[in-house]
mmCIF file of all heavy atoms in Angstrom:
data_model
loop_
_atom_site.group_PDB
_atom_site.id
_atom_site.type_symbol
_atom_site.label_atom_id
_atom_site.label_comp_id
_atom_site.label_asym_id
_atom_site.label_seq_id
_atom_site.Cartn_x
_atom_site.Cartn_y
_atom_site.Cartn_z
ATOM 1 N N ASP A 163 67.875 -22.355 29.594
ATOM 2 C CA ASP A 163 67.397 -22.805 28.290
ATOM 3 C C ASP A 163 67.697 -24.292 28.141
ATOM 4 O O ASP A 163 68.639 -24.825 28.742
ATOM 5 C CB ASP A 163 68.093 -22.036 27.168
ATOM 6 C CG ASP A 163 67.548 -20.619 27.017
ATOM 7 O OD1 ASP A 163 66.491 -20.323 27.601
ATOM 8 O OD2 ASP A 163 68.190 -19.809 26.325
ATOM 9 N N MET A 164 66.891 -24.970 27.319
ATOM 10 C CA MET A 164 67.016 -26.409 27.180
ATOM 11 C C MET A 164 67.295 -26.802 25.734
ATOM 12 O O MET A 164 67.067 -26.026 24.798
ATOM 13 C CB MET A 164 65.725 -27.094 27.651
ATOM 14 C CG MET A 164 65.462 -26.980 29.119
ATOM 15 S SD MET A 164 63.908 -27.793 29.555
ATOM 16 C CE MET A 164 64.189 -29.452 28.907
ATOM 17 N N ARG A 165 67.760 -28.023 25.591
ATOM 18 C CA ARG A 165 67.892 -28.652 24.269
ATOM 19 C C ARG A 165 67.372 -30.078 24.369
ATOM 20 O O ARG A 165 67.384 -30.685 25.443
ATOM 21 C CB ARG A 165 69.345 -28.711 23.799
ATOM 22 C CG ARG A 165 69.974 -27.405 23.432
ATOM 23 C CD ARG A 165 71.382 -27.641 22.906
ATOM 24 N NE ARG A 165 71.382 -28.161 21.552
ATOM 25 C CZ ARG A 165 72.438 -28.719 20.949
ATOM 26 N NH1 ARG A 165 73.566 -28.884 21.628
ATOM 27 N NH2 ARG A 165 72.352 -29.144 19.718
ATOM 28 N N MET A 166 66.908 -30.585 23.250
ATOM 29 C CA MET A 166 66.554 -31.993 23.174
ATOM 30 C C MET A 166 67.697 -32.748 22.512
ATOM 31 O O MET A 166 68.603 -32.150 21.905
ATOM 32 C CB MET A 166 65.260 -32.176 22.380
ATOM 33 C CG MET A 166 64.060 -31.482 22.987
ATOM 34 S SD MET A 166 63.580 -32.126 24.604
ATOM 35 C CE MET A 166 62.851 -33.702 24.137
ATOM 36 N N ALA A 167 67.674 -34.050 22.638
ATOM 37 C CA ALA A 167 68.703 -34.899 22.024
ATOM 38 C C ALA A 167 68.038 -36.115 21.385
ATOM 39 O O ALA A 167 67.140 -36.724 21.976
ATOM 40 C CB ALA A 167 69.725 -35.351 23.068
ATOM 41 N N VAL A 168 68.462 -36.439 20.173
ATOM 42 C CA VAL A 168 67.989 -37.632 19.463
ATOM 43 C C VAL A 168 69.045 -38.711 19.675
ATOM 44 O O VAL A 168 70.186 -38.553 19.238
ATOM 45 C CB VAL A 168 67.781 -37.360 17.965
ATOM 46 C CG1 VAL A 168 67.241 -38.608 17.265
ATOM 47 C CG2 VAL A 168 66.852 -36.169 17.762
ATOM 48 N N VAL A 169 68.677 -39.801 20.352
ATOM 49 C CA VAL A 169 69.676 -40.788 20.760
ATOM 50 C C VAL A 169 69.164 -42.215 20.561
ATOM 51 O O VAL A 169 67.959 -42.474 20.533
ATOM 52 C CB VAL A 169 70.057 -40.607 22.246
ATOM 53 C CG1 VAL A 169 70.729 -39.263 22.485
ATOM 54 C CG2 VAL A 169 68.827 -40.747 23.142
ATOM 55 N N ALA A 170 70.123 -43.110 20.443
ATOM 56 C CA ALA A 170 69.854 -44.549 20.445
ATOM 57 C C ALA A 170 71.131 -45.242 20.909
ATOM 58 O O ALA A 170 72.201 -44.630 20.982
ATOM 59 C CB ALA A 170 69.418 -45.045 19.075
ATOM 60 N N SER A 171 71.027 -46.511 21.210
ATOM 61 C CA SER A 171 72.188 -47.246 21.710
ATOM 62 C C SER A 171 73.097 -47.675 20.559
ATOM 63 O O SER A 171 72.664 -47.790 19.407
ATOM 64 C CB SER A 171 71.726 -48.481 22.479
ATOM 65 O OG SER A 171 71.174 -49.433 21.573
ATOM 66 N N PRO A 172 74.379 -47.927 20.848
ATOM 67 C CA PRO A 172 75.268 -48.479 19.823
ATOM 68 C C PRO A 172 74.728 -49.787 19.240
ATOM 69 O O PRO A 172 74.884 -50.054 18.044
ATOM 70 C CB PRO A 172 76.577 -48.711 20.583
ATOM 71 C CG PRO A 172 76.534 -47.736 21.715
ATOM 72 C CD PRO A 172 75.083 -47.656 22.105
ATOM 73 N N LYS A 173 74.068 -50.575 20.089
ATOM 74 C CA LYS A 173 73.472 -51.835 19.628
ATOM 75 C C LYS A 173 72.445 -51.582 18.532
ATOM 76 O O LYS A 173 72.416 -52.290 17.512
ATOM 77 C CB LYS A 173 72.819 -52.553 20.809
ATOM 78 C CG LYS A 173 72.027 -53.807 20.446
ATOM 79 C CD LYS A 173 71.339 -54.386 21.672
ATOM 80 C CE LYS A 173 70.454 -55.570 21.297
ATOM 81 N NZ LYS A 173 69.755 -56.124 22.488
ATOM 82 N N TYR A 174 71.611 -50.562 18.721
ATOM 83 C CA TYR A 174 70.593 -50.252 17.716
ATOM 84 C C TYR A 174 71.243 -49.820 16.406
ATOM 85 O O TYR A 174 70.836 -50.260 15.312
ATOM 86 C CB TYR A 174 69.658 -49.154 18.234
ATOM 87 C CG TYR A 174 68.617 -48.732 17.220
ATOM 88 C CD1 TYR A 174 67.410 -49.421 17.112
ATOM 89 C CD2 TYR A 174 68.844 -47.667 16.352
ATOM 90 C CE1 TYR A 174 66.459 -49.058 16.169
ATOM 91 C CE2 TYR A 174 67.901 -47.289 15.409
ATOM 92 C CZ TYR A 174 66.709 -47.997 15.319
ATOM 93 O OH TYR A 174 65.777 -47.645 14.376
ATOM 94 N N PHE A 175 72.267 -48.975 16.490
ATOM 95 C CA PHE A 175 72.883 -48.459 15.276
ATOM 96 C C PHE A 175 73.802 -49.472 14.586
ATOM 97 O O PHE A 175 74.245 -49.255 13.459
ATOM 98 C CB PHE A 175 73.638 -47.160 15.576
ATOM 99 C CG PHE A 175 72.717 -45.967 15.710
ATOM 100 C CD1 PHE A 175 72.804 -45.124 16.818
ATOM 101 C CD2 PHE A 175 71.774 -45.683 14.735
ATOM 102 C CE1 PHE A 175 71.959 -44.036 16.944
ATOM 103 C CE2 PHE A 175 70.928 -44.587 14.853
ATOM 104 C CZ PHE A 175 71.010 -43.762 15.965
ATOM 105 N N LYS A 176 74.077 -50.575 15.236
ATOM 106 C CA LYS A 176 74.767 -51.661 14.535
ATOM 107 C C LYS A 176 73.847 -52.318 13.528
ATOM 108 O O LYS A 176 74.297 -52.928 12.542
ATOM 109 C CB LYS A 176 75.266 -52.713 15.536
ATOM 110 C CG LYS A 176 76.522 -52.303 16.287
ATOM 111 C CD LYS A 176 76.988 -53.423 17.224
ATOM 112 C CE LYS A 176 78.244 -53.028 17.969
ATOM 113 N NZ LYS A 176 78.697 -54.124 18.882
ATOM 114 N N GLN A 177 72.565 -52.212 13.763
ATOM 115 C CA GLN A 177 71.576 -52.863 12.902
ATOM 116 C C GLN A 177 70.837 -51.881 11.989
ATOM 117 O O GLN A 177 70.110 -52.305 11.092
ATOM 118 C CB GLN A 177 70.560 -53.613 13.770
ATOM 119 C CG GLN A 177 71.183 -54.647 14.693
ATOM 120 C CD GLN A 177 70.179 -55.214 15.690
ATOM 121 O OE1 GLN A 177 68.992 -54.906 15.635
ATOM 122 N NE2 GLN A 177 70.661 -56.047 16.606
ATOM 123 N N HIS A 178 71.031 -50.562 12.246
ATOM 124 C CA HIS A 178 70.317 -49.551 11.466
ATOM 125 C C HIS A 178 71.266 -48.412 11.121
ATOM 126 O O HIS A 178 72.142 -48.072 11.916
ATOM 127 C CB HIS A 178 69.124 -48.992 12.259
ATOM 128 C CG HIS A 178 68.148 -50.043 12.693
ATOM 129 N ND1 HIS A 178 68.300 -50.746 13.874
ATOM 130 C CD2 HIS A 178 67.010 -50.507 12.113
ATOM 131 C CE1 HIS A 178 67.295 -51.605 14.009
ATOM 132 N NE2 HIS A 178 66.497 -51.479 12.954
ATOM 133 N N PRO A 179 71.091 -47.784 9.957
ATOM 134 C CA PRO A 179 71.975 -46.686 9.566
ATOM 135 C C PRO A 179 71.714 -45.430 10.399
ATOM 136 O O PRO A 179 70.596 -45.212 10.883
ATOM 137 C CB PRO A 179 71.612 -46.456 8.098
ATOM 138 C CG PRO A 179 70.197 -46.920 7.981
ATOM 139 C CD PRO A 179 70.069 -48.091 8.915
#
Side-chain angles (χ1 to χ4, degrees):
D163 284 347
M164 292 179 56
R165 290 184 76 195
M166 299 296 287
V168 182
V169 296
S171 70
K173 174 184 175 181
Y174 177 86
F175 282 129
K176 283 182 180 180
Q177 303 171 5
H178 303 87

